[in-house]
Amino acid sequence: MKIGIFIEKIEKDLEYKDPGQIAKGLEEIGTEVFFITTQNNHKGFIFPSIEVSLKKLEEEKFYQKLDCKVILFYSHLSIRFNKIIEIAKKSGKNVIIKLDSDCRFGYPLFISRLRGFFYIKNFKELVEYVSWLFRYIAFGTFLLEEKIKQLYIADKVIIESPQAFINLFTFLSHHNKLDLSILDKCYVIPNPVDAVFMKPPIKKENIILCAADWRNRAKNRENLFKLIKEFLKIRNDWQFLIIGNESKYFHSLRNEKVIIKDKIPHHEIAEYFFKAKIFLLPSFWEGFNISAAEAVCAGCSIVGTPLECLFYLSNNNFSGTISYGFDYKSLLSALLIDINKWEKGFYDYLSISNYWQNILNRKKIAKMIIEMIKN
């Protein structure tokens, strides 16, 4: 079998994220893979790729010439891709769409996005936010049919977490669009984790790891800042390690208990995950956060906000503690409870890592995808 993977842009480090890990897993079980993209910004990309315009992707001849029977589209259910997915299906390809989303596509499930409104800093961000809000209202009204069109076209639909699956069908139900044929197409398949995280942790330290692109408003860095200040007034026997772009936002907190590092090369970052006991993610929203998945594979517990992927990865308190809300006080409460669970011996980092490595290794995820295609 040969599978084409469509992703709009190929960026640096994509091979370490879920598209690259899925491709590696498929190759490791004997499936050929290549990528289709409209923009390749990473000339050192390790997989074969075809760079093509969106206009070309709207031609049936393009798909007829492709040497594959299956195309996996990273579509996010974006209506911009409706036409190309429809034509790919018409050409005879087996079409899979990967939602890569929390499936809060519109009213009434978009309310969580309003949290970001309180952290708008300038007029440009306000315009972007209002534009985004209009789209979400539209998806639940006059653009509804276009928004869900791919669900009818596709042969299979991949959703990354059980709660996101529920969100999708809550959205459809609310708008009287429930359809058992769509239900039968949907499969919950989580994103895989790189092989560097697939080894047993040796020793854990009292480290709380926070890793993200802190330029992104969704990461809720303002509440993380407040949380760290308040936590250090209560406990001084734990250390925060903050990693990622724009980590300088936290520089005023820097001391022996707050270590700040800019973006770290992928081949080095795993060692920090293996040392930390807790991975803290304060985000307002996420699809399926790959850093959180890497953390549980490294034997960390997760402390985070009530997000679909974190409910899944915390596994009913087996590997984490989910806060009540998105404010720093809620997160602080969850963090203190999680630390208490470590101190009482509730957590066993080897059990956490063994459990999640068995689920999130890329070969197993690849086999799930192949079984889905054959089903």
Side-chain angles (χ1 to χ4, degrees), residues 100-310:
D100 203 29
S101 168
D102 60 10
C103 295
R104 293 177 176 266
F105 291 122
Y107 183 83
L109 293 169
F110 72 102
I111 302 301
S112 65
R113 301 296 200 276
L114 296 176
R115 301 178 194 107
F117 177 82
F118 300 104
Y119 300 97
I120 290 173
K121 296 180 177 61
N122 53 54
F123 183 73
K124 181 182 177 183
E125 288 187 2
L126 178 62
V127 171
E128 290 174 352
Y129 197 84
V130 170
S131 173
W132 166 87
L133 187 59
F134 174 79
R135 290 199 305 274
Y136 269 74
I137 293 171
F139 293 153
T141 53
F142 61 90
L143 287 180
L144 177 63
E145 296 294 337
E146 286 297 302
K147 186 62 180 175
I148 64 176
K149 192 174 185 178
Q150 293 173 31
L151 298 174
Y152 293 97
I153 298 170
D155 294 287
K156 297 290 190 298
V157 179
I158 295 176
I159 305 170
E160 289 71 30
S161 70
Q163 187 60 50
F165 193 5
I166 293 171
N167 286 353
L168 174 62
F169 276 82
T170 301
F171 175 67
L172 294 175
S173 178
H174 184 85
H175 297 287
N176 299 314
K177 293 294 182 181
L178 280 180
D179 190 322
L180 292 181
S181 68
I182 294 175
L183 183 64
D184 288 341
K185 296 178 182 183
C186 292
Y187 291 76
V188 175
I189 302 179
N191 287 337
V193 166
D194 193 351
V196 298
F197 294 92
M198 296 294 153
K199 63 180 183 180
I202 298 173
K203 184 182 178 182
K204 289 287 185 182
E205 300 175 16
N206 287 359
I207 296 173
I208 302 162
L209 176 62
C210 311
D213 183 347
W214 302 108
R215 298 170 297 183
N216 188 336
R217 190 163 63 247
K219 303 305 178 183
N220 194 12
R221 67 184 189 179
E222 292 84 0
N223 276 302
L224 177 59
F225 187 97
K226 294 175 184 177
L227 161 66
I228 294 171
K229 287 182 69 175
E230 291 302 311
F231 177 86
L232 293 176
K233 294 176 184 177
I234 302 169
R235 307 258 330 217
N236 63 358
D237 52 342
W238 284 70
Q239 184 181 74
F240 284 88
L241 174 59
I242 303 173
I243 299 173
N245 290 322
E246 204 64 29
S247 294
K248 64 183 180 181
Y249 175 82
F250 301 97
H251 276 194
S252 63
L253 296 173
R254 178 182 277 170
N255 57 40
E256 70 276 5
K257 297 297 179 183
V258 183
I259 308 302
I260 298 171
K261 295 182 178 291
D262 292 326
K263 190 171 173 64
I264 295 172
H266 181 79
H267 65 277
E268 297 178 13
I269 199 167
E271 297 309 314
Y272 293 98
F273 280 77
F274 282 116
K275 284 183 181 179
K277 282 184 178 176
I278 296 172
F279 180 80
L280 175 59
L281 186 70
S283 298
F284 287 130
W285 60 85
E286 296 280 351
F288 190 92
N289 185 270
I290 194 64
S291 295
E294 291 167 346
V296 290
C297 287
C300 300
S301 63
I302 290 175
V303 173
T305 44
L307 302 177
E308 291 74 11
C309 64
L310 297 189

Side-chain angles (χ1 to χ4, degrees), residues 208 238 277-279 300-304 314 317-322 331-344 346-347:
I208 302 162
W238 284 70
K277 282 184 178 176
I278 296 172
F279 180 80
C300 300
S301 63
I302 290 175
V303 173
S314 62
N317 292 313
F318 167 74
S319 48
T321 306
I322 304 303
L331 282 162
L332 177 60
S333 298
L335 178 57
L336 292 172
I337 290 169
D338 205 68
I339 288 172
N340 188 256
K341 285 154 75 173
W342 278 104
E343 292 173 342
K344 288 180 176 176
F346 179 85
Y347 287 135

